[in-house]
Amino acid sequence: PTDDGAEPSGPGGQLQLDVTTCVASQADVDRYRWIGSLIAAVASGDTALLKGSWLVQHCASAEGPLPARQDCPPEAFWQAGDLQRVVNISRTMQDPIAVPVVALSYCWETAEHPDPSGEQLRRVACAAKLCLQECADLAVFVDWCSLWQEPRTEEQQASFGRALDSVDLWYAHQMTWVWLLTSTPSGTIQPTYHERGWPYFERLVGGLHSHYDMLLDIGRPLESCSDYSDIRESCIASRCVPLTPDAFRTELASKVFARSEECEFLAERYVHTFAVTIGPAESLCYANTGLSAAEAKLLADALGWCTRLLVLSLDGNDLGPEGALAIAAALPGLPQLQGLYANRCGLQRGGAAAIIDGVKETRRIGGMYLSSNDISEDDAAALEDVFLHRHPRSVIHVS
């Protein structure tokens, strides 16, 4: 069941939406926001979450690589009732009585076992051990241990199919941390993390609407980290620009898959994930994420779906006049927009003027912040006058 007691809106929890407009129901949107949907997924038995403490202990015992789900002992997993009592709902890892949910994105080294040498296990265990200094435990989604693996019984195959249909939930949910293991095992000749289709999907949906410090690249060096604060400081991953479903499909086609049909599966899953995260978003923050003018054009395309957006923050990116023009072209399609932040973006006069013109028909705009953009005092004053003439009760800062 979902948080309001209603059953999922489709078989296996699949979303019901109009794929031509990417509009999802509120119940489906809430499924990616409230913790109850994660508990329900565990309670169904289709997905299992490892205890972080067990994972660390298994690594320390040198018992070999992680076993498949079928071979893990019962004590390795969280029971839904136990997890419900302690699961973290505060979006902070540093809570000594709570259990954060973590989804791992990584590369399979071989088709038979994703990590036969245990090298990736050791890195995950290192990060988990540091986190366990500050939280009660972890609940970790690792596909090899969380989903039934081959060979499967008929019942396990059906369970695997249901879990796969909702696999994006673990990466796109607002209450999960996503750990990106971007370094591949030493000596491997397989494609890199960034060349593979599944990791690309997991990273992209993991950053669609999560808090900025809940997407971490634990493939970076951890040797100097002594606690979770160190991990957070050194491993925060930059969020990718959200892509429209068509743009994602095009990019995904360039990635490597073990099975060709997986590309189409992920392209279709992304439509659903995009619909429940970006489509209904009321606030999008891409401040200080290194957005270029070219990426601003991709973001502008995605903004075309965000009809509920109230606040857009782009501070500290090198958009320049070209990127500003792209963003400005999308602004008339944001009728609910109340605040726009584009300070320190190198807009210059032309870019700032385009953005101001882009909201001329936006009646709810309350604040426009375009400071430190290489604009003269006279031009800044003139632009502010233009904006305030249209929106006399609003606030604007241009410099």
Side-chain angles (χ1 to χ4, degrees):
T2 55
D3 294 280
D4 58 6
E7 291 297 320
S9 53
Q14 294 181 26
L15 306 178
Q16 302 297 301
L17 69 150
D18 181 350
V19 296
T20 63
T21 59
C22 280
V23 176
S25 71
Q26 188 59 46
D28 288 330
V29 172
D30 289 344
R31 186 167 178 260
Y32 286 72
R33 293 179 176 178
W34 307 119
I35 202 71
S37 57
L38 302 180
I39 302 299
V42 174
S44 72
D46 294 331
T47 301
L49 298 182
L50 281 178
K51 292 181 177 179
S53 55
W54 180 87
L55 187 151
V56 170
Q57 182 182 13
H58 179 84
C59 181
S61 66
E63 294 181 4
L66 279 176
R69 176 174 175 175
Q70 292 95 317
D71 302 319
C72 286
E75 62 268 22
F77 297 117
W78 282 98
Q79 298 300 311
D82 295 337
L83 183 60
Q84 185 172 20
R85 287 190 286 272
V86 295
V87 68
N88 185 304
I89 58 173
S90 64
R91 298 185 189 175
T92 173
M93 185 72 70
Q94 296 157 303
D95 187 335
I97 62 173
V99 174
V101 178
V102 175
L104 182 66
S105 174
Y106 69 110
C107 296
W108 277 47
E109 188 174 356
T110 70
E112 295 73 29
H113 194 289
D115 183 33
S117 66
E119 182 176 337
Q120 297 188 92
L121 167 63
R122 289 188 289 275
R123 178 167 288 273
V124 175
C126 176
K129 186 175 181 179
L130 294 175
C131 291
L132 290 174
Q133 297 174 10
E134 305 185 50
C135 61
D137 207 329
L138 298 171
V140 187
F141 176 86
V142 185
D143 60 355
W144 176 249
C145 303
S146 297
L147 310 180
W148 298 112
Q149 301 301 318
E150 295 179 339
R152 307 180 187 98
T153 65
E154 184 175 346
E155 182 179 354
Q156 289 172 350
Q157 183 62 43
S159 174
F160 174 78
R162 291 190 299 268
L164 200 62
D165 280 340
S166 295
V167 70
D168 54 308
L169 180 70
W170 301 102
Y171 298 94
H173 200 286
Q174 282 192 334
M175 302 304 294
T176 62
W177 277 257
V178 178
W179 288 1
L180 314 173
L181 189 47
T182 56
S183 59
T184 50
S186 56
T188 180
I189 59 174
Q190 301 213 18
T192 67
Y193 179 94
H194 299 287
E195 295 171 333
R196 302 188 189 208
W198 276 96
Y200 176 70
F201 170 81
E202 292 157 359
R203 175 172 185 162
L204 189 60
V205 302
L208 284 177
H209 72 160
S210 63
H211 198 263
Y212 78 98
D213 64 352
M214 294 176 74
L215 185 69
L216 301 176
D217 182 356
I218 64 167
R220 298 174 184 175
L222 300 177
E223 290 76 14
S224 62
C225 296
S226 59
D227 54 25
Y228 172 73
S229 295
D230 289 342
I231 294 179
R232 179 182 178 277
E233 182 176 344
S234 61
C235 295
I236 289 180
S238 60
R239 293 165 62 194
C240 300
V241 174
L243 301 180
T244 63
D246 285 344
F248 175 77
R249 182 183 291 272
T250 299
E251 186 65 24
L252 192 66
S254 68
K255 304 301 179 181
V256 178
F257 288 93
R259 301 179 181 89
S260 58
E261 62 270 19
E262 292 177 341
C263 183
E264 181 60 26
F265 171 79
L266 289 184
E268 293 180 358
R269 275 298 347 140
Y270 183 79
V271 175
H272 296 271
T273 315
F274 184 86
V276 298
T277 55
I278 294 299
E282 295 183 350
S283 175
L284 290 177
C285 179
Y286 290 93
N288 305 305
T289 54
L291 283 183
S292 64
E295 290 171 322
K297 294 178 181 178
L298 294 173
L299 175 59
D301 290 340
L303 290 177
W305 305 93
C306 302
T307 56
R308 301 186 201 176
L309 193 66
L310 303 179
V311 179
L312 177 63
S313 177
L314 303 170
D315 289 345
N317 291 298
D318 189 20
L319 303 182
E322 183 182 354
L325 288 172
I327 297 296
L331 295 180
L334 306 177
Q336 308 297 321
L337 192 67
Q338 297 178 9
L340 192 152
Y341 298 79
N343 302 299
R344 306 179 308 281
C345 289
L347 304 181
Q348 301 179 20
R349 187 191 187 285
I355 287 178
I356 290 172
D357 191 59
V359 298
K360 63 183 179 183
E361 302 296 337
T362 307
R363 296 185 178 183
R364 297 191 178 188
I365 191 73
M368 179 78 71
Y369 304 92
L370 309 176
S371 299
S372 303
N373 276 302
D374 302 322
I375 302 170
S376 70
E377 291 186 9
D378 289 344
D379 285 342
L383 290 170
E384 289 179 351
D385 287 343
V386 169
F387 178 83
L388 292 173
H389 178 73
R390 296 168 177 162
H391 308 284
R393 297 183 180 180
S394 301
V395 175
I396 185 169
H397 295 289
V398 182
S399 67

